[in-house]
Amino acid sequence: MDLDAYFAEHPMSGVGGPQELPEGFKSGFVAFCGRPNAGKSTLMNRLVGSKVAITSNTPQTTRRNVQGVLTLPDAQIVFVDTPGMHKPHDALGEQLNASAKSALTDVDVACMLIDATKPVGTGDAWVAQRVRESDARKVLLITKRDIADPAQVAEQFERAKDMAKWDAVVSLSAKSSYNLDALIEELMQLLPEGPMWFPADMTTNLSLEMMIAELVREKVLRSFTEEVPHSVGVKVDSLEESEGLIRAEVSVYCERDSQKAMLIGAKGQSVKRIGSDARKELERMTGKKAYIGIKVKVKRKWRNDESQIERFGYME
């Protein structure tokens, strides 16, 4: 299966998909799990053929289980991008781990991602233990093959091969599309026959409100380093959508006054840039004109406040 050719013919996955399902139609849910920055979100976006999950170089970019839908002529695969599993330092971290673990209980296939460029360690072993506890079929994915040499890939496989009873092993690169077709073929062998769970032209379960909040947070993550990204939570306060326009008022929360000052920037330049970048991407994704107004607020120690975590939509 040539995914590049498929997406060239179908700009959004599933467009033009079958209305009457052919005999032997495969469908099911596939979870991507692993340590932070293993490449889960990038891989799902590439497989689905459009951006459904935000990405950045900051660990714990993903804070909720996000579904991406790939509809093919003979299958519908629902990928579930999960937060990176890590040693938690606050209530938010504990909730992210709980979300990731919960995803493994309701899927047909659990794919554990291991970065080919980083040593396999105790964090990977901890993730593998959760994978072993799942009743799902199990696939080991060695990612970032485009920047790893064959010796690195082989070493990662040797270290990870006994962490679980793998039904398949694939080394791949989401960035270069290397071996993505092989992954789809392996999943087709492991998934059961079933119905089409979502409309053929649907690519994600994210609502427009959640999408806007995530886009704003992504722009913060890509604009700042160190402590600011981890302390940021985003909530859409109001949302209006008409035929050709989307208007959203958004609050960006941080934990300290010094962080608020950095987010706003001199003469408001930083927050203006964040809003402009998010607006442009929202317009590209929806085909509509957009307005995003942003206010920066301080909510001290919100990452240890379960009610605030729930308010941001990070509780499963």
Side-chain angles (χ1 to χ4, degrees):
M1 179 187 303
D2 188 335
L3 285 180
D4 287 324
Y6 179 83
F7 290 135
E9 183 179 352
H10 305 88
M12 293 179 63
S13 66
V15 173
Q19 299 301 309
E20 294 185 5
L21 302 186
E23 184 178 354
F25 189 85
K26 295 291 189 74
S27 73
F29 292 76
V30 177
F32 290 148
C33 63
R35 293 167 62 189
N37 280 4
K40 300 179 293 296
S41 299
T42 301
L43 177 58
M44 186 175 76
N45 287 343
R46 184 65 188 93
L47 288 168
V48 172
S50 63
K51 182 172 182 175
V52 297
I54 65 172
T55 61
S56 79
N57 292 325
T58 302
Q60 300 170 39
T61 295
T62 301
R63 285 182 174 173
R64 52 168 56 90
N65 295 333
V66 178
Q67 293 181 355
V69 184
L70 170 63
T71 302
L72 301 169
D74 53 355
Q76 185 175 78
I77 306 174
V78 184
F79 298 103
V80 184
D81 181 25
T82 67
M85 294 186 183
H86 62 288
K87 183 177 180 179
H89 300 288
D90 47 43
L92 174 62
E94 292 174 357
Q95 178 57 42
L96 299 186
N97 279 345
S99 295
K101 288 188 285 186
S102 70
L104 297 179
T105 64
D106 297 317
V107 294
D108 300 284
V109 180
C111 292
M112 178 177 168
L113 282 69
I114 289 181
D115 186 335
T117 67
K118 297 179 180 179
V120 174
T122 55
D124 296 292
W126 189 82
V127 176
Q129 180 181 342
R130 275 68 199 169
V131 173
R132 289 196 303 271
E133 294 169 353
S134 171
D135 293 330
R137 307 295 293 273
K138 299 167 180 61
V139 177
L140 174 64
L141 302 182
I142 300 176
T143 63
K144 305 184 182 181
R145 180 65 177 80
D146 57 306
I147 55 176
D149 59 45
Q152 285 179 297
V153 175
E155 182 177 2
Q156 297 297 72
F157 170 70
E158 284 300 316
R159 291 179 174 178
K161 67 179 182 179
D162 296 325
M163 286 184 169
K165 186 176 180 181
W166 306 111
D167 294 286
V169 178
V170 180
S171 67
L172 52 80
S173 166
K175 185 175 181 179
S176 70
S177 297
Y178 174 77
N179 251 8
L180 297 191
D181 53 348
L183 171 59
I184 295 297
E185 290 174 2
E186 292 288 359
L187 294 177
M188 292 285 283
Q189 296 298 316
L190 297 174
L191 289 172
E193 293 183 12
M196 185 179 289
W197 295 102
F198 298 101
D201 60 352
M202 180 175 174
T203 57
T204 181
N205 68 327
L206 278 184
S207 66
L208 179 61
E209 179 179 338
M210 294 171 69
M211 182 186 300
I212 292 171
E214 288 292 86
L215 285 177
V216 171
R217 191 167 64 85
E218 178 187 63
K219 304 316 173 188
V220 173
L221 295 178
R222 293 188 176 187
S223 298
F224 295 91
T225 57
E226 300 178 358
E227 81 279 4
V228 173
H230 293 293
S231 70
V232 166
V234 180
K235 184 178 184 301
V236 176
D237 299 315
S238 66
L239 177 61
E240 298 177 11
E241 182 180 13
S242 61
E243 183 175 344
L245 177 66
I246 297 171
R247 293 183 59 89
E249 295 291 342
V250 176
S251 291
V252 174
Y253 289 83
C254 55
E255 293 185 315
R256 296 197 295 273
D257 292 329
S258 60
Q259 295 168 344
K260 178 179 178 179
M262 285 188 282
L263 285 165
I264 293 174
K267 298 182 180 180
Q269 290 303 306
S270 293
V271 73
K272 288 179 182 177
R273 184 181 65 252
I274 291 167
S276 176
D277 290 347
R279 173 187 59 79
K280 291 176 182 177
E281 184 144 11
L282 181 62
E283 290 179 342
R284 182 186 64 78
M285 294 172 68
T286 64
K288 296 183 177 183
K289 291 292 184 180
Y291 166 82
I292 300 177
I294 298 178
K295 293 182 179 179
V296 181
K297 303 177 181 179
V298 175
K299 182 70 175 179
R300 303 188 190 282
K301 298 182 179 180
W302 73 261
R303 286 177 290 177
N304 277 310
D305 183 342
E306 289 192 359
S307 63
Q308 192 67 32
I309 293 171
E310 184 174 10
R311 186 182 181 200
F312 289 142
Y314 303 145
M315 301 282 280
E316 290 293 324

